[in-house]
mmCIF file of all heavy atoms in Angstrom:
data_model
loop_
_atom_site.group_PDB
_atom_site.id
_atom_site.type_symbol
_atom_site.label_atom_id
_atom_site.label_comp_id
_atom_site.label_asym_id
_atom_site.label_seq_id
_atom_site.Cartn_x
_atom_site.Cartn_y
_atom_site.Cartn_z
ATOM 1 N N THR A 1 143.318 -28.076 65.409
ATOM 2 C CA THR A 1 143.269 -27.400 64.115
ATOM 3 C C THR A 1 144.674 -27.325 63.538
ATOM 4 O O THR A 1 145.616 -26.910 64.217
ATOM 5 C CB THR A 1 142.640 -25.994 64.226
ATOM 6 O OG1 THR A 1 142.665 -25.367 62.944
ATOM 7 C CG2 THR A 1 143.350 -25.115 65.231
ATOM 8 N N LEU A 2 144.825 -27.732 62.279
ATOM 9 C CA LEU A 2 146.144 -27.820 61.671
ATOM 10 C C LEU A 2 146.776 -26.455 61.396
ATOM 11 O O LEU A 2 147.991 -26.348 61.256
ATOM 12 C CB LEU A 2 146.066 -28.626 60.366
ATOM 13 C CG LEU A 2 145.838 -30.133 60.553
ATOM 14 C CD1 LEU A 2 145.567 -30.804 59.216
ATOM 15 C CD2 LEU A 2 147.031 -30.780 61.244
ATOM 16 N N SER A 3 145.971 -25.438 61.265
ATOM 17 C CA SER A 3 146.409 -24.035 61.188
ATOM 18 C C SER A 3 147.026 -23.605 59.868
ATOM 19 O O SER A 3 146.636 -22.615 59.279
ATOM 20 C CB SER A 3 147.369 -23.672 62.326
ATOM 21 O OG SER A 3 146.732 -23.738 63.574
ATOM 22 N N ASP A 4 148.048 -24.309 59.360
ATOM 23 C CA ASP A 4 148.732 -23.830 58.155
ATOM 24 C C ASP A 4 149.620 -24.937 57.609
ATOM 25 O O ASP A 4 150.195 -25.722 58.363
ATOM 26 C CB ASP A 4 149.576 -22.596 58.493
ATOM 27 C CG ASP A 4 149.944 -21.782 57.259
ATOM 28 O OD1 ASP A 4 150.843 -22.235 56.522
ATOM 29 O OD2 ASP A 4 149.351 -20.722 57.036
ATOM 30 N N ALA A 5 149.765 -24.963 56.292
ATOM 31 C CA ALA A 5 150.575 -26.003 55.656
ATOM 32 C C ALA A 5 152.033 -25.952 56.104
ATOM 33 O O ALA A 5 152.700 -26.983 56.192
ATOM 34 C CB ALA A 5 150.477 -25.900 54.130
ATOM 35 N N PHE A 6 152.537 -24.730 56.411
ATOM 36 C CA PHE A 6 153.945 -24.637 56.822
ATOM 37 C C PHE A 6 154.157 -25.333 58.167
ATOM 38 O O PHE A 6 155.234 -25.881 58.425
ATOM 39 C CB PHE A 6 154.407 -23.176 56.879
ATOM 40 C CG PHE A 6 154.171 -22.486 58.187
ATOM 41 C CD1 PHE A 6 155.194 -22.396 59.130
ATOM 42 C CD2 PHE A 6 152.942 -21.918 58.488
ATOM 43 C CE1 PHE A 6 154.987 -21.771 60.338
ATOM 44 C CE2 PHE A 6 152.733 -21.288 59.702
ATOM 45 C CZ PHE A 6 153.754 -21.208 60.623
ATOM 46 N N VAL A 7 153.155 -25.320 59.030
ATOM 47 C CA VAL A 7 153.246 -26.026 60.312
ATOM 48 C C VAL A 7 153.286 -27.532 60.054
ATOM 49 O O VAL A 7 154.070 -28.268 60.671
ATOM 50 C CB VAL A 7 152.062 -25.661 61.227
ATOM 51 C CG1 VAL A 7 152.136 -26.434 62.536
ATOM 52 C CG2 VAL A 7 152.021 -24.162 61.516
ATOM 53 N N ILE A 8 152.450 -27.976 59.134
ATOM 54 C CA ILE A 8 152.402 -29.404 58.816
ATOM 55 C C ILE A 8 153.733 -29.878 58.249
ATOM 56 O O ILE A 8 154.217 -30.968 58.581
ATOM 57 C CB ILE A 8 151.259 -29.683 57.817
ATOM 58 C CG1 ILE A 8 149.911 -29.291 58.434
ATOM 59 C CG2 ILE A 8 151.245 -31.164 57.414
ATOM 60 C CD1 ILE A 8 148.785 -29.228 57.432
ATOM 61 N N ASP A 9 154.335 -29.058 57.390
ATOM 62 C CA ASP A 9 155.621 -29.443 56.792
ATOM 63 C C ASP A 9 156.666 -29.746 57.866
ATOM 64 O O ASP A 9 157.502 -30.633 57.702
ATOM 65 C CB ASP A 9 156.140 -28.323 55.881
ATOM 66 C CG ASP A 9 155.355 -28.230 54.587
ATOM 67 O OD1 ASP A 9 154.662 -29.219 54.238
ATOM 68 O OD2 ASP A 9 155.409 -27.176 53.922
ATOM 69 N N ARG A 10 156.610 -28.991 58.966
ATOM 70 C CA ARG A 10 157.613 -29.178 60.020
ATOM 71 C C ARG A 10 157.232 -30.266 61.018
ATOM 72 O O ARG A 10 158.105 -30.833 61.680
ATOM 73 C CB ARG A 10 157.828 -27.849 60.761
ATOM 74 C CG ARG A 10 158.586 -26.832 59.941
ATOM 75 C CD ARG A 10 159.241 -25.789 60.831
ATOM 76 N NE ARG A 10 158.326 -24.758 61.249
ATOM 77 C CZ ARG A 10 158.065 -23.654 60.517
ATOM 78 N NH1 ARG A 10 158.621 -23.494 59.344
ATOM 79 N NH2 ARG A 10 157.243 -22.734 60.967
ATOM 80 N N HIS A 11 155.937 -30.528 61.146
ATOM 81 C CA HIS A 11 155.508 -31.418 62.233
ATOM 82 C C HIS A 11 154.563 -32.525 61.765
ATOM 83 O O HIS A 11 153.818 -33.084 62.570
ATOM 84 C CB HIS A 11 154.839 -30.600 63.339
ATOM 85 C CG HIS A 11 155.700 -29.524 63.899
ATOM 86 N ND1 HIS A 11 156.796 -29.785 64.687
ATOM 87 C CD2 HIS A 11 155.651 -28.172 63.745
ATOM 88 C CE1 HIS A 11 157.378 -28.639 65.027
ATOM 89 N NE2 HIS A 11 156.714 -27.659 64.462
ATOM 90 N N ARG A 12 154.612 -32.852 60.482
ATOM 91 C CA ARG A 12 153.709 -33.876 59.944
ATOM 92 C C ARG A 12 153.810 -35.185 60.733
ATOM 93 O O ARG A 12 152.800 -35.813 61.067
ATOM 94 C CB ARG A 12 154.023 -34.128 58.468
ATOM 95 C CG ARG A 12 153.057 -35.123 57.810
ATOM 96 C CD ARG A 12 153.407 -35.336 56.342
ATOM 97 N NE ARG A 12 153.137 -34.139 55.546
ATOM 98 C CZ ARG A 12 154.079 -33.310 55.098
ATOM 99 N NH1 ARG A 12 155.368 -33.552 55.360
ATOM 100 N NH2 ARG A 12 153.758 -32.248 54.388
ATOM 101 N N GLY A 13 155.028 -35.586 61.052
ATOM 102 C CA GLY A 13 155.222 -36.834 61.792
ATOM 103 C C GLY A 13 154.526 -36.817 63.140
ATOM 104 O O GLY A 13 153.881 -37.804 63.529
ATOM 105 N N ASP A 14 154.644 -35.703 63.855
ATOM 106 C CA ASP A 14 153.977 -35.568 65.154
ATOM 107 C C ASP A 14 152.463 -35.678 65.004
ATOM 108 O O ASP A 14 151.786 -36.370 65.782
ATOM 109 C CB ASP A 14 154.302 -34.209 65.785
ATOM 110 C CG ASP A 14 155.625 -34.205 66.521
ATOM 111 O OD1 ASP A 14 156.274 -35.271 66.596
ATOM 112 O OD2 ASP A 14 156.010 -33.138 67.032
ATOM 113 N N PHE A 15 151.913 -34.951 64.022
ATOM 114 C CA PHE A 15 150.460 -34.915 63.862
ATOM 115 C C PHE A 15 149.913 -36.289 63.472
ATOM 116 O O PHE A 15 148.883 -36.735 64.000
ATOM 117 C CB PHE A 15 150.066 -33.869 62.817
ATOM 118 C CG PHE A 15 150.432 -32.451 63.189
ATOM 119 C CD1 PHE A 15 150.546 -31.465 62.212
ATOM 120 C CD2 PHE A 15 150.663 -32.095 64.504
ATOM 121 C CE1 PHE A 15 150.873 -30.163 62.548
ATOM 122 C CE2 PHE A 15 150.997 -30.787 64.857
ATOM 123 C CZ PHE A 15 151.109 -29.815 63.866
ATOM 124 N N LEU A 16 150.597 -36.964 62.564
ATOM 125 C CA LEU A 16 150.148 -38.305 62.179
ATOM 126 C C LEU A 16 150.268 -39.277 63.347
ATOM 127 O O LEU A 16 149.409 -40.157 63.522
ATOM 128 C CB LEU A 16 150.962 -38.803 60.980
ATOM 129 C CG LEU A 16 150.702 -38.075 59.660
ATOM 130 C CD1 LEU A 16 151.684 -38.550 58.595
ATOM 131 C CD2 LEU A 16 149.258 -38.277 59.192
ATOM 132 N N ASP A 17 151.287 -39.087 64.166
ATOM 133 C CA ASP A 17 151.455 -39.939 65.348
ATOM 134 C C ASP A 17 150.308 -39.737 66.340
ATOM 135 O O ASP A 17 149.785 -40.707 66.913
ATOM 136 C CB ASP A 17 152.798 -39.632 66.014
ATOM 137 C CG ASP A 17 153.109 -40.594 67.159
ATOM 138 O OD1 ASP A 17 153.171 -41.814 66.899
ATOM 139 O OD2 ASP A 17 153.291 -40.123 68.303
ATOM 140 N N LEU A 18 149.916 -38.477 66.540
ATOM 141 C CA LEU A 18 148.774 -38.204 67.422
ATOM 142 C C LEU A 18 147.518 -38.896 66.909
ATOM 143 O O LEU A 18 146.741 -39.466 67.693
ATOM 144 C CB LEU A 18 148.527 -36.686 67.509
ATOM 145 C CG LEU A 18 149.545 -35.853 68.282
ATOM 146 C CD1 LEU A 18 149.238 -34.364 68.112
ATOM 147 C CD2 LEU A 18 149.548 -36.207 69.770
ATOM 148 N N LEU A 19 147.303 -38.829 65.591
ATOM 149 C CA LEU A 19 146.133 -39.471 65.003
ATOM 150 C C LEU A 19 146.213 -40.987 65.138
ATOM 151 O O LEU A 19 145.239 -41.644 65.519
ATOM 152 C CB LEU A 19 146.010 -39.081 63.528
ATOM 153 C CG LEU A 19 145.674 -37.614 63.241
ATOM 154 C CD1 LEU A 19 145.779 -37.330 61.746
ATOM 155 C CD2 LEU A 19 144.275 -37.264 63.738
ATOM 156 N N ASP A 20 147.371 -41.537 64.830
ATOM 157 C CA ASP A 20 147.527 -42.997 64.874
ATOM 158 C C ASP A 20 147.363 -43.555 66.287
ATOM 159 O O ASP A 20 146.948 -44.708 66.460
ATOM 160 C CB ASP A 20 148.892 -43.389 64.306
ATOM 161 C CG ASP A 20 148.980 -43.194 62.799
ATOM 162 O OD1 ASP A 20 147.912 -43.158 62.148
ATOM 163 O OD2 ASP A 20 150.104 -43.063 62.275
ATOM 164 N N LYS A 21 147.693 -42.731 67.285
ATOM 165 C CA LYS A 21 147.568 -43.175 68.676
ATOM 166 C C LYS A 21 146.202 -42.861 69.281
ATOM 167 O O LYS A 21 145.979 -43.064 70.473
ATOM 168 C CB LYS A 21 148.677 -42.539 69.522
ATOM 169 C CG LYS A 21 150.058 -43.102 69.216
ATOM 170 C CD LYS A 21 151.128 -42.467 70.082
ATOM 171 C CE LYS A 21 152.488 -43.108 69.821
ATOM 172 N NZ LYS A 21 153.570 -42.438 70.596
ATOM 173 N N GLY A 22 145.283 -42.341 68.444
ATOM 174 C CA GLY A 22 143.935 -42.061 68.923
ATOM 175 C C GLY A 22 143.836 -40.901 69.888
ATOM 176 O O GLY A 22 142.920 -40.858 70.718
ATOM 177 N N GLN A 23 144.764 -39.929 69.762
ATOM 178 C CA GLN A 23 144.781 -38.792 70.674
ATOM 179 C C GLN A 23 143.863 -37.646 70.246
ATOM 180 O O GLN A 23 143.608 -36.737 71.019
ATOM 181 C CB GLN A 23 146.215 -38.253 70.794
ATOM 182 C CG GLN A 23 147.214 -39.252 71.331
ATOM 183 C CD GLN A 23 146.944 -39.590 72.788
ATOM 184 O OE1 GLN A 23 147.157 -38.780 73.673
ATOM 185 N NE2 GLN A 23 146.455 -40.794 73.035
ATOM 186 N N ILE A 24 143.393 -37.672 68.996
ATOM 187 C CA ILE A 24 142.572 -36.583 68.459
ATOM 188 C C ILE A 24 141.190 -37.119 68.090
ATOM 189 O O ILE A 24 141.066 -38.125 67.389
ATOM 190 C CB ILE A 24 143.228 -35.956 67.203
ATOM 191 C CG1 ILE A 24 144.675 -35.541 67.479
ATOM 192 C CG2 ILE A 24 142.406 -34.766 66.708
ATOM 193 C CD1 ILE A 24 144.841 -34.498 68.548
ATOM 194 N N ASP A 25 140.158 -36.424 68.548
ATOM 195 C CA ASP A 25 138.780 -36.806 68.233
ATOM 196 C C ASP A 25 138.209 -36.008 67.062
ATOM 197 O O ASP A 25 137.406 -36.530 66.286
ATOM 198 C CB ASP A 25 137.884 -36.584 69.462
ATOM 199 C CG ASP A 25 138.302 -37.440 70.641
ATOM 200 O OD1 ASP A 25 138.079 -38.655 70.597
ATOM 201 O OD2 ASP A 25 138.881 -36.881 71.598
ATOM 202 N N ILE A 26 138.586 -34.737 66.974
ATOM 203 C CA ILE A 26 138.085 -33.861 65.908
ATOM 204 C C ILE A 26 139.280 -33.121 65.315
ATOM 205 O O ILE A 26 140.032 -32.471 66.045
ATOM 206 C CB ILE A 26 137.064 -32.831 66.442
ATOM 207 C CG1 ILE A 26 135.913 -33.517 67.173
ATOM 208 C CG2 ILE A 26 136.529 -31.964 65.292
ATOM 209 C CD1 ILE A 26 134.994 -32.546 67.922
ATOM 210 N N LEU A 27 139.450 -33.224 64.002
ATOM 211 C CA LEU A 27 140.543 -32.528 63.321
ATOM 212 C C LEU A 27 139.956 -31.531 62.339
ATOM 213 O O LEU A 27 139.096 -31.878 61.523
ATOM 214 C CB LEU A 27 141.423 -33.528 62.573
ATOM 215 C CG LEU A 27 142.641 -32.928 61.843
ATOM 216 C CD1 LEU A 27 143.665 -32.400 62.847
ATOM 217 C CD2 LEU A 27 143.280 -33.975 60.924
ATOM 218 N N PHE A 28 140.429 -30.264 62.418
ATOM 219 C CA PHE A 28 140.005 -29.213 61.501
ATOM 220 C C PHE A 28 141.140 -28.912 60.521
ATOM 221 O O PHE A 28 142.305 -28.786 60.922
ATOM 222 C CB PHE A 28 139.651 -27.933 62.259
ATOM 223 C CG PHE A 28 138.415 -28.037 63.095
ATOM 224 C CD1 PHE A 28 138.489 -28.349 64.452
ATOM 225 C CD2 PHE A 28 137.154 -27.810 62.545
ATOM 226 C CE1 PHE A 28 137.344 -28.441 65.236
ATOM 227 C CE2 PHE A 28 136.008 -27.906 63.315
ATOM 228 C CZ PHE A 28 136.098 -28.221 64.666
ATOM 229 N N ALA A 29 140.786 -28.797 59.233
ATOM 230 C CA ALA A 29 141.779 -28.494 58.204
ATOM 231 C C ALA A 29 141.093 -27.777 57.053
ATOM 232 O O ALA A 29 139.854 -27.782 56.947
ATOM 233 C CB ALA A 29 142.421 -29.782 57.688
ATOM 234 N N ASN A 30 141.900 -27.153 56.169
ATOM 235 C CA ASN A 30 141.367 -26.714 54.890
ATOM 236 C C ASN A 30 141.903 -27.641 53.807
ATOM 237 O O ASN A 30 142.614 -28.606 54.096
ATOM 238 C CB ASN A 30 141.682 -25.232 54.619
ATOM 239 C CG ASN A 30 143.181 -24.945 54.531
ATOM 240 O OD1 ASN A 30 143.982 -25.820 54.202
ATOM 241 N ND2 ASN A 30 143.557 -23.714 54.826
ATOM 242 N N GLU A 31 141.552 -27.357 52.564
ATOM 243 C CA GLU A 31 141.945 -28.261 51.472
ATOM 244 C C GLU A 31 143.458 -28.449 51.387
ATOM 245 O O GLU A 31 143.962 -29.574 51.289
ATOM 246 C CB GLU A 31 141.429 -27.712 50.138
ATOM 247 C CG GLU A 31 140.008 -28.125 49.819
ATOM 248 C CD GLU A 31 139.608 -27.740 48.412
ATOM 249 O OE1 GLU A 31 139.193 -26.594 48.209
ATOM 250 O OE2 GLU A 31 139.705 -28.602 47.502
ATOM 251 N N ALA A 32 144.180 -27.330 51.389
ATOM 252 C CA ALA A 32 145.634 -27.410 51.259
ATOM 253 C C ALA A 32 146.250 -28.175 52.419
ATOM 254 O O ALA A 32 147.193 -28.957 52.239
ATOM 255 C CB ALA A 32 146.228 -26.003 51.175
ATOM 256 N N GLU A 33 145.707 -27.964 53.621
ATOM 257 C CA GLU A 33 146.277 -28.609 54.811
ATOM 258 C C GLU A 33 146.045 -30.110 54.820
ATOM 259 O O GLU A 33 146.943 -30.878 55.176
ATOM 260 C CB GLU A 33 145.684 -27.954 56.067
ATOM 261 C CG GLU A 33 146.163 -26.528 56.278
ATOM 262 C CD GLU A 33 145.245 -25.715 57.174
ATOM 263 O OE1 GLU A 33 144.260 -26.268 57.722
ATOM 264 O OE2 GLU A 33 145.495 -24.501 57.310
ATOM 265 N N ILE A 34 144.842 -30.548 54.432
ATOM 266 C CA ILE A 34 144.581 -31.991 54.477
ATOM 267 C C ILE A 34 145.406 -32.711 53.419
ATOM 268 O O ILE A 34 145.903 -33.831 53.638
ATOM 269 C CB ILE A 34 143.065 -32.297 54.332
ATOM 270 C CG1 ILE A 34 142.753 -33.697 54.879
ATOM 271 C CG2 ILE A 34 142.574 -32.160 52.907
ATOM 272 C CD1 ILE A 34 142.981 -33.846 56.352
ATOM 273 N N GLN A 35 145.614 -32.065 52.275
ATOM 274 C CA GLN A 35 146.442 -32.660 51.230
ATOM 275 C C GLN A 35 147.910 -32.684 51.651
ATOM 276 O O GLN A 35 148.635 -33.637 51.363
ATOM 277 C CB GLN A 35 146.253 -31.915 49.909
ATOM 278 C CG GLN A 35 144.872 -32.161 49.298
ATOM 279 C CD GLN A 35 144.560 -31.304 48.092
ATOM 280 O OE1 GLN A 35 143.408 -31.101 47.749
ATOM 281 N NE2 GLN A 35 145.580 -30.777 47.437
ATOM 282 N N SER A 36 148.338 -31.650 52.358
ATOM 283 C CA SER A 36 149.704 -31.618 52.864
ATOM 284 C C SER A 36 149.910 -32.699 53.924
ATOM 285 O O SER A 36 150.930 -33.394 53.919
ATOM 286 C CB SER A 36 150.024 -30.242 53.455
ATOM 287 O OG SER A 36 151.295 -30.241 54.065
ATOM 288 N N LEU A 37 148.953 -32.839 54.831
ATOM 289 C CA LEU A 37 149.085 -33.847 55.893
ATOM 290 C C LEU A 37 149.175 -35.249 55.303
ATOM 291 O O LEU A 37 150.000 -36.059 55.718
ATOM 292 C CB LEU A 37 147.908 -33.747 56.869
ATOM 293 C CG LEU A 37 147.955 -34.688 58.068
ATOM 294 C CD1 LEU A 37 149.143 -34.365 58.971
ATOM 295 C CD2 LEU A 37 146.652 -34.612 58.870
ATOM 296 N N ALA A 38 148.300 -35.521 54.322
ATOM 297 C CA ALA A 38 148.279 -36.845 53.708
ATOM 298 C C ALA A 38 149.381 -37.025 52.666
ATOM 299 O O ALA A 38 149.675 -38.150 52.267
ATOM 300 C CB ALA A 38 146.923 -37.093 53.053
ATOM 301 N N GLN A 39 149.978 -35.906 52.239
ATOM 302 C CA GLN A 39 150.956 -35.898 51.140
ATOM 303 C C GLN A 39 150.368 -36.531 49.878
ATOM 304 O O GLN A 39 150.995 -37.321 49.172
ATOM 305 C CB GLN A 39 152.249 -36.608 51.551
ATOM 306 C CG GLN A 39 153.014 -35.863 52.657
ATOM 307 C CD GLN A 39 154.362 -36.470 52.951
ATOM 308 O OE1 GLN A 39 154.450 -37.529 53.569
ATOM 309 N NE2 GLN A 39 155.427 -35.804 52.521
ATOM 310 N N ILE A 40 149.117 -36.121 49.616
ATOM 311 C CA ILE A 40 148.367 -36.577 48.438
ATOM 312 C C ILE A 40 147.753 -35.349 47.777
ATOM 313 O O ILE A 40 147.079 -34.554 48.439
ATOM 314 C CB ILE A 40 147.255 -37.581 48.832
ATOM 315 C CG1 ILE A 40 147.865 -38.837 49.472
ATOM 316 C CG2 ILE A 40 146.409 -37.953 47.620
ATOM 317 C CD1 ILE A 40 146.822 -39.799 50.047
ATOM 318 N N ASP A 41 147.946 -35.184 46.478
ATOM 319 C CA ASP A 41 147.450 -33.996 45.780
ATOM 320 C C ASP A 41 145.951 -34.022 45.517
ATOM 321 O O ASP A 41 145.328 -32.978 45.360
ATOM 322 C CB ASP A 41 148.187 -33.814 44.447
ATOM 323 C CG ASP A 41 149.634 -33.387 44.634
ATOM 324 O OD1 ASP A 41 149.940 -32.822 45.712
ATOM 325 O OD2 ASP A 41 150.456 -33.637 43.731
ATOM 326 N N ASP A 42 145.362 -35.197 45.453
ATOM 327 C CA ASP A 42 143.928 -35.316 45.194
ATOM 328 C C ASP A 42 143.141 -35.127 46.488
ATOM 329 O O ASP A 42 143.396 -35.813 47.490
ATOM 330 C CB ASP A 42 143.613 -36.689 44.589
ATOM 331 C CG ASP A 42 142.137 -36.873 44.301
ATOM 332 O OD1 ASP A 42 141.670 -36.330 43.288
ATOM 333 O OD2 ASP A 42 141.453 -37.538 45.110
ATOM 334 N N PHE A 43 142.174 -34.205 46.482
ATOM 335 C CA PHE A 43 141.437 -33.870 47.699
ATOM 336 C C PHE A 43 140.709 -35.075 48.290
ATOM 337 O O PHE A 43 140.851 -35.387 49.480
ATOM 338 C CB PHE A 43 140.441 -32.736 47.431
ATOM 339 C CG PHE A 43 139.540 -32.427 48.599
ATOM 340 C CD1 PHE A 43 140.041 -31.787 49.722
ATOM 341 C CD2 PHE A 43 138.205 -32.793 48.589
ATOM 342 C CE1 PHE A 43 139.226 -31.510 50.817
ATOM 343 C CE2 PHE A 43 137.387 -32.526 49.667
ATOM 344 C CZ PHE A 43 137.897 -31.878 50.783
ATOM 345 N N ASP A 44 139.896 -35.741 47.476
ATOM 346 C CA ASP A 44 139.101 -36.857 48.000
ATOM 347 C C ASP A 44 139.984 -37.987 48.516
ATOM 348 O O ASP A 44 139.678 -38.613 49.538
ATOM 349 C CB ASP A 44 138.155 -37.374 46.917
ATOM 350 C CG ASP A 44 137.027 -36.399 46.622
ATOM 351 O OD1 ASP A 44 136.569 -35.725 47.561
ATOM 352 O OD2 ASP A 44 136.606 -36.297 45.456
ATOM 353 N N ALA A 45 141.086 -38.233 47.832
ATOM 354 C CA ALA A 45 142.000 -39.287 48.280
ATOM 355 C C ALA A 45 142.662 -38.903 49.600
ATOM 356 O O ALA A 45 142.857 -39.754 50.481
ATOM 357 C CB ALA A 45 143.055 -39.549 47.208
ATOM 358 N N ALA A 46 142.995 -37.607 49.748
ATOM 359 C CA ALA A 46 143.603 -37.133 50.999
ATOM 360 C C ALA A 46 142.618 -37.269 52.154
ATOM 361 O O ALA A 46 142.981 -37.712 53.255
ATOM 362 C CB ALA A 46 144.062 -35.688 50.845
ATOM 363 N N VAL A 47 141.378 -36.886 51.907
ATOM 364 C CA VAL A 47 140.334 -37.019 52.939
ATOM 365 C C VAL A 47 140.166 -38.477 53.342
ATOM 366 O O VAL A 47 140.082 -38.807 54.533
ATOM 367 C CB VAL A 47 139.000 -36.423 52.441
ATOM 368 C CG1 VAL A 47 137.844 -36.833 53.362
ATOM 369 C CG2 VAL A 47 139.091 -34.908 52.348
#
């Protein structure tokens, strides 16, 4: 679970690396968090 956008701001690289390496099977986020992780303002595009 991504928990909060401020966490993502500090560790976005780590989280994307975990995803890219297939280390995560289920990811939980809210709207703000998924947009922050993707660095995309549009919700559907971030998803």
Side-chain angles (χ1 to χ4, degrees):
T1 178
L2 288 171
S3 295
D4 199 284
F6 88 97
V7 178
I8 299 167
D9 287 342
R10 288 202 279 274
H11 303 289
R12 184 180 291 105
D14 277 357
F15 297 159
L16 291 173
D17 186 59
L18 289 173
L19 292 172
D20 289 338
K21 289 181 176 176
Q23 300 292 289
I24 307 298
D25 298 288
I26 305 170
L27 182 68
F28 291 95
N30 62 26
E31 274 189 276
E33 290 159 5
I34 201 65
Q35 290 172 202
S36 174
L37 183 64
Q39 293 187 286
I40 298 173
D41 289 337
D42 180 78
F43 174 72
D44 289 325
V47 167

